[in-house]
Amino acid sequence: LAEHGHSLALSAEAAGRVIRYEAAVAGGIPVVKALTEGLAGNEIQRVLGVMNGSCNYILTRMEDAGLTYEEVFAEADGLGYLEADPNLDVGGIDAAHKLAILASIAFGTEVDFASVVIEGIGAITIEDIHAAADMGYRVKLLGVAQQTGRGLEQRMTPCLVPANSPFGQLQGGTNMVILEGGDVGQIVLRGAGAGEGPTASAVMSDVLDLARGLRLNTFGQAATGLVKSQPAMTATTAPFYLRLQLLDKPGALAKVAAVMGEAGVSIDRMRQYGHDAEQAPVLIVTHKTTRAAIDQILEDFTKTQVVEGQPVALRIEAV
C-alpha cells in the first residue's frame, strides 16, 4: 500500500478487528467473512471445526506411521509446529479460543471462553487410533458450537468421526470448518492450518477492506448488541467409545456391564483383542447417552477392582 502512495492508519478498534479476525480464521480459512457476509441471511445452527493444524498433524501422523503420541509430539516440536507452550496446541486451548469467537459471531452472543469444555489429545494412544480405524472412524480434535434449548453448547474435545466424512478425510496440518445454516445446509471451508502465508493472506484481506473503505462490524453487528450467552449445563446425547484394560479373570466383563446398566448406559457393540498380558484390552461403543452418565460409569469402574489404569472415553460425533 505504501509503495502505491496509500496511507493507512489503524485505529485501536480496527487493529483489534484485524487481530480477532486472524485469530478466528483457523489458519487462513475465511470463516469470519463467510459468517458475517456470505451467510448473513441464514440462521446458523451449528459450527464444527478442526481448528488446530498441529493436532491434526499429530493424529494423522500417528495413524499413517504407526508411531506413538510421544514420538510424533517430539517430531512436531522439532519441525516447529508447536507453540512455545505446546499445551496451547495439544491441550486444545488455541482451538478453543477460535471456537469461542466463531460461536459469538454465529449466534450473536458475547464471547464466553470460560464456558468452552476443553480436552486435549494427550490421552490418545496408538491403540485408540488403530481401534477407531478398525471400526470405521478417525480421531480428531473437534470443536462444536450449537445453540440448543438448554443454552449455548461449546466444546473442543477429541472425538471419533466417520472415516468417510469430510473431517475423517482431513490429513496433515490442514484445518476445516463446517457451517450449518437453515437455508444452505452445510458449507465446508478447508485450508492450510498454519504458516506465514495463510496467516498473512487472512490479515491482508481485512487490511484491504479498510483501505477500500469497507467497515463491517467485527461480529456482524455492533458489539454492544451481543447478548450474554446462557451456557448449556449438559451436552446433547451421543454414542461414546470406551477403552478399558480389564483383569483377565471370570466375571470381570459382567461387573463392567452391571455398572453401565445401573447408569442406564447400553452397549451397542464391543470388541476384545488377543493379548498375552494379565490385562485384556476391551473396546465398547455405547448407544446415545450423556457425558454425565459416562463420567459416572468411569468413576464407578474404579470400584469394581477389575479395571486397570485410566479408561478412555471419546464422543462419537455425527458430522
Side-chain angles (χ1 to χ4, degrees):
L1 291 173
E3 290 178 357
H4 290 81
H6 292 286
S7 170
L8 182 62
L10 294 182
S11 66
E13 176 188 357
R17 178 171 183 251
V18 171
I19 292 169
R20 285 192 298 270
Y21 177 66
E22 188 276 327
V25 293
I29 309 172
V31 183
V32 172
K33 285 196 172 186
L35 283 170
T36 58
E37 298 177 35
L39 300 178
N42 277 259
E43 180 181 357
I44 301 300
Q45 299 167 337
R46 190 166 64 150
V47 176
L48 308 94
V50 170
M51 303 180 189
N52 186 278
S54 300
C55 287
N56 202 56
Y57 171 84
I58 290 173
L59 293 171
T60 56
R61 177 74 171 146
M62 287 172 67
E63 180 178 4
D64 293 342
L67 300 174
T68 66
Y69 170 81
E70 290 76 16
E71 289 172 321
V72 180
F73 178 94
E75 180 182 287
D77 196 29
L79 292 170
Y81 288 176
L82 301 177
E83 298 279 359
D85 178 2
N87 192 51
L88 291 174
D89 286 317
V90 298
I93 298 170
D94 165 75
H97 285 151
K98 297 170 183 174
L99 180 68
I101 295 171
L102 293 179
S104 174
I105 297 170
F107 304 113
T109 57
E110 295 178 5
V111 176
D112 187 10
F113 176 71
S115 297
V116 183
V117 175
I118 306 173
E119 182 183 343
I121 64 172
I124 305 300
T125 68
I126 188 63
E127 288 78 19
D128 293 318
I129 299 288
H130 289 160
D134 194 29
M135 294 187 291
Y137 295 104
R138 288 200 170 98
V139 182
K140 299 293 179 183
L141 180 66
L142 187 67
V144 179
Q146 57 187 347
Q147 192 73 262
T148 72
R150 298 175 304 281
L152 179 60
E153 184 178 334
Q154 302 178 90
R155 59 180 183 273
M156 180 62 65
T157 60
C159 294
L160 266 62
V161 299
N164 60 358
S165 68
F167 286 124
Q169 297 177 41
L170 191 67
Q171 298 293 309
T174 310
N175 286 347
M176 177 182 290
V177 174
I178 294 180
L179 307 173
E180 295 181 350
D183 296 319
V184 296
Q186 282 193 345
I187 300 295
V188 180
L189 302 169
R190 171 179 173 168
E196 57 186 18
T199 301
S201 172
V203 174
M204 283 307 300
S205 175
D206 240 16
V207 171
L208 289 172
D209 275 354
L210 294 172
R212 293 166 177 158
L214 302 176
R215 299 295 298 272
L216 296 177
N217 290 317
T218 303
F219 297 94
Q221 61 178 295
T224 54
L226 298 175
V227 299
K228 190 172 181 62
S229 66
Q230 177 61 47
M233 299 303 294
T234 59
T236 52
T237 60
F240 280 81
Y241 157 95
L242 304 177
R243 173 171 56 82
L244 314 173
Q245 292 289 339
L246 296 186
L247 290 180
D248 193 3
K249 63 180 186 180
L253 194 56
K255 289 184 178 181
V256 166
V259 166
M260 296 180 67
E262 290 172 3
V265 178
S266 61
I267 297 174
D268 179 34
R269 47 190 161 139
M270 180 174 60
R271 290 189 182 182
Q272 180 175 335
Y273 294 95
H275 59 283
D276 297 321
E278 295 181 356
Q279 295 83 28
V282 175
L283 307 177
I284 297 173
V285 173
T286 74
H287 286 288
K288 284 187 176 182
T289 186
T290 64
R291 179 70 208 202
I294 293 295
D295 289 340
Q296 183 61 57
I297 64 174
L298 294 182
E299 180 181 340
D300 291 342
F301 281 161
T302 63
K303 303 172 185 177
T304 63
Q305 298 184 337
V306 297
V307 177
E308 293 285 300
Q310 182 63 41
V312 171
L314 299 176
R315 181 185 175 97
I316 300 176
E317 194 69 50
V319 293

